Amino acid sequence: MPFSQSILSLSASGLYGCVLVVCLAAAITARVSRQLPGHVWTWLLLAVFFAVLVPLRLLEVEESVRDSLRAAMRAEGNYSERRDVQGPIVAAIILVAGAGALALLYRTTRNVRGRRNVARVAALVAALAMLFLMTLRMISLHAVDALLYGPVKLNWVIDLGASLTVLGAAVYYTRLVRRQS
């Protein structure tokens, strides 16, 4: 596979790397400041997530998966009916993601106390939004692609917005915990 990354993809990978570093700093800060183990694990999990995103973006893994799915459908002779398959999958993903997001928000926000925990929840929700976006991009339903890649470029708005949210939450958490220690 030739290396033909756009400047936007390279920038996104760079941003993911920055988020990775800041999440590691938040995990170290949580550990050194003797925060609850869940705090350390949250930031480590987010760091691993972004560590995986960097090579996924650089190696164009999403594109490869999408192309493989298309090739498999062509080989089975189902490519012309792909919308019949993609539509229910997208609907199920949106339904499950929506229900999961509501459950997560309900569960976490009713027990969230303190700015540190709010920062953790915001970072986790943003990472889940990125995971949801990646899933939608791989399924590649025409109607969804029109929204993601249309004039507003929701793809980039959500991708960069979620990354910056995690970055901001990690910086905020780190500063807050260091100030309190």
Side-chain angles (χ1 to χ4, degrees), residues 29-169:
T29 299
R31 176 79 172 123
V32 168
S33 299
R34 295 189 179 113
Q35 300 297 308
L36 294 172
H39 289 236
V40 177
W41 285 109
T42 297
W43 295 114
L44 284 176
L45 175 70
L46 289 166
V48 168
F49 178 69
F50 280 91
V52 169
L53 287 181
V54 172
L56 285 180
R57 174 70 74 170
L58 289 175
L59 298 173
E60 298 178 343
V61 172
E62 281 183 42
E63 283 291 325
S64 297
V65 169
R66 188 171 34 248
D67 291 344
S68 296
L69 290 172
R70 287 179 182 155
M73 291 187 86
R74 282 187 185 107
E76 293 176 10
N78 297 333
Y79 189 73
S80 61
E81 292 92 29
R82 69 187 179 282
R83 286 182 181 87
D84 295 337
V85 174
Q86 290 170 320
I89 292 173
V90 169
I93 288 171
I94 290 172
L95 182 65
V96 169
L102 287 175
L104 176 71
L105 284 174
Y106 173 75
R107 184 176 177 274
T108 55
T109 56
R110 73 183 163 105
N111 293 327
V112 171
R113 303 284 187 262
R115 295 175 290 172
R116 295 169 306 149
N117 292 321
V118 170
R120 289 176 51 223
V121 169
L124 283 171
V125 169
L128 289 173
M130 287 205 49
L131 196 57
F132 177 68
L133 174 66
M134 291 168 55
T135 305
L136 288 179
R137 286 191 302 219
M138 282 190 277
I139 292 170
S140 185
L141 181 66
H142 178 70
V144 174
D145 288 350
L147 286 172
L148 293 178
Y149 304 110
V152 179
K153 305 289 187 232
L154 270 176
N155 172 50
W156 285 103
V157 170
I158 296 169
D159 193 323
L160 296 176
S163 298
L164 290 172
T165 299
V166 175
L167 183 124

